[in-house]
Amino acid sequence: MVLPDVANETLTRARPSASVIVPADGRGVDRAARLLAGGGIAALPTETVYGLAADATNGEAVARIFEAKRRPRFNPLICHVDGPAMARRFARFGDLAERLADRFWPGPLTLVVPLAEGAAIHPLVTAGLDTVAVRMPRGVARDVIAALGSPVAAPSANRSGRISPTTARAVRDSLGDEAPLILDAGPARVGVESTIIDLSGDRPVCLRPGGIALADIEQVIDQPVTRADADAAISAPGMLRSHYAPGLPVRLNATDVRPGEALLAFGSGRIAGAGSAVAGVNLSPSGDLTEAAANLFAMLDELDRSGAAAIAVMTIPADGLGEAINDRLARAAAPRETP
Ligand code: AMP
Ligand code: MG
């Protein structure tokens, strides 16, 4: 039986499209840039490892990265730029950042700096923080960013918990059809992740050792760099500088809205008291977890400023991106340590 065209199209779209590996030449770069411009994701070679990229100003595109990697957590992502000028559009570069970028970019050095006022970077990229991690990669990834004209968020192109891929084949082995396009530029040159230096505080702190030696960094900025463990900093609930939390108490799995509360809703269902909520927003009226992930940080922030006494959050399903959404909400609801 021949299916009508419309049904055929629907069937094709419902299945994840097959992953393709294409050479990282001019045509490949254009193809990747067009895919990213349309809100898609693509795996790009950088000198450190292969990254899974999305337009950093598009929340739903960034949510697709977490979905493809099956990351159970919304940790902040590195923003990749085609040069210091693009970085200055959304990040505040002080003297140390200027000196380090001048010396080591393009290259495996990521700088954590304050986010500029009104920056177009989507909050899912920074996990709601007021700082942003920025890096200028070498080669093909940079060409794609230049063609797109927008910064690109890109963690390593592997399933969560697996090792970072240094070849196009390793990306496909790890992500399968979840990476619709993989640009192949051969094995990554550096093969380890970028060094991350946090310049947003009083003193420079190394959040992760990587492709650039700390001694070389210290020489350029003419001062010592404090060593810290990046993962500990991000997961420790008391570390407010590295972990966004709303100021208001958060109540999870709410089946009603109590007097004085604001409501963070999900899906089409209504709960008792919703009509008299101090403020109310819906992560996704249609129950779409990708849309909900993209809205999460901005909506929590909006309700935090609503003048309510607390935020009641409806139940969010735990499958797919729901795991990361629930992880973030559980942290927001956890008792605060006083710093
Ligand atoms: P990956 O993208 O997997 O190479 O990891 C990115 C690293 O950068 C993670 O360790 C993040 O915690 C860290 N990172 C990204 N943005 C920030 C930020 N604004 N503040 C602190 N750490 C960050
Ligand atoms: Mg990784």
Side-chain angles (χ1 to χ4, degrees):
M1 188 185 105
V2 181
L3 289 166
D5 277 346
V6 177
N8 252 334
E9 238 193 34
T10 316
L11 283 175
T12 325
R13 260 197 260 117
R15 259 184 270 125
S17 55
S19 146
V20 284
I21 297 181
V22 304
D25 54 14
R27 282 180 58 194
V29 166
D30 281 350
R31 191 165 163 184
R34 266 185 279 117
L35 188 60
L36 296 183
I41 54 175
L44 307 178
T46 81
E47 71 272 53
T48 58
V49 299
Y50 276 66
L52 188 61
D55 179 345
T57 65
N58 181 333
E60 295 209 13
V62 176
R64 282 185 196 108
I65 294 178
F66 289 92
E67 196 171 30
K69 285 181 64 90
R70 305 211 184 121
R71 254 201 192 173
R73 255 177 217 177
F74 291 132
N75 42 355
L77 306 177
I78 296 172
C79 264
H80 296 72
V81 294
D82 67 356
M86 183 183 275
R88 285 192 211 99
R89 280 180 6 208
F90 60 86
R92 293 216 315 267
F93 267 51
D95 173 51
L96 296 187
E98 292 288 353
R99 269 149 75 179
L100 288 172
D102 192 51
R103 170 68 182 80
F104 296 111
W105 282 7
L109 177 66
T110 296
L111 303 173
V112 174
V113 293
L115 200 56
E117 198 72 35
I121 301 298
H122 192 275
L124 200 50
V125 174
T126 58
L129 299 172
D130 53 11
T131 56
V132 61
V134 201
R135 176 169 104 81
M136 175 188 179
R138 210 176 270 283
V140 176
R142 184 197 171 190
D143 296 343
V144 173
I145 298 161
L148 178 68
S150 184
V152 149
S156 54
N158 51 281
R159 277 263 147 68
S160 183
R162 310 252 188 94
I163 57 162
S164 300
T166 54
T167 64
R169 172 63 59 174
V171 174
R172 176 134 84 192
D173 289 348
S174 189
L175 290 178
D177 289 346
E178 223 103 34
L181 180 68
I182 304 168
L183 291 195
D184 187 354
R189 202 173 50 84
V190 178
V192 295
E193 265 105 351
S194 59
T195 302
I196 305 179
I197 304 291
D198 184 354
L199 297 171
S200 67
D202 298 337
R203 287 173 303 151
V205 178
C206 173
L207 300 181
R208 178 177 77 189
I212 303 273
L214 287 187
D216 295 339
I217 289 168
E218 289 173 327
Q219 200 173 25
V220 169
I221 57 175
D222 209 16
Q223 58 178 289
V225 172
T226 309
R227 277 76 170 157
D229 175 7
D231 291 334
I234 291 301
S235 56
M239 301 271 307
L240 290 182
R241 252 186 55 216
S242 57
H243 172 54
Y244 167 81
L248 294 180
V250 172
R251 191 165 65 83
L252 302 180
N253 298 313
T255 50
D256 61 353
V257 181
R258 298 175 188 162
E261 283 185 335
L263 171 64
L264 186 62
F266 176 85
S268 56
R270 272 180 71 84
I271 58 174
S276 47
V278 173
V281 283
N282 195 319
L283 287 168
S284 172
S286 66
D288 174 357
L289 288 167
T290 308
E291 183 185 19
N295 283 331
L296 181 64
F297 289 101
M299 288 188 173
L300 271 177
D301 192 49
E302 182 184 338
L303 295 183
D304 210 23
R305 297 162 195 266
S306 66
I311 302 172
V313 185
M314 281 169 66
T315 300
I316 319 277
D319 57 304
L321 276 173
E323 187 179 358
I325 295 172
N326 279 299
D327 169 78
R328 180 54 54 171
L329 287 169
R331 286 156 189 266
R336 304 289 142 71
E337 283 168 32
T338 30

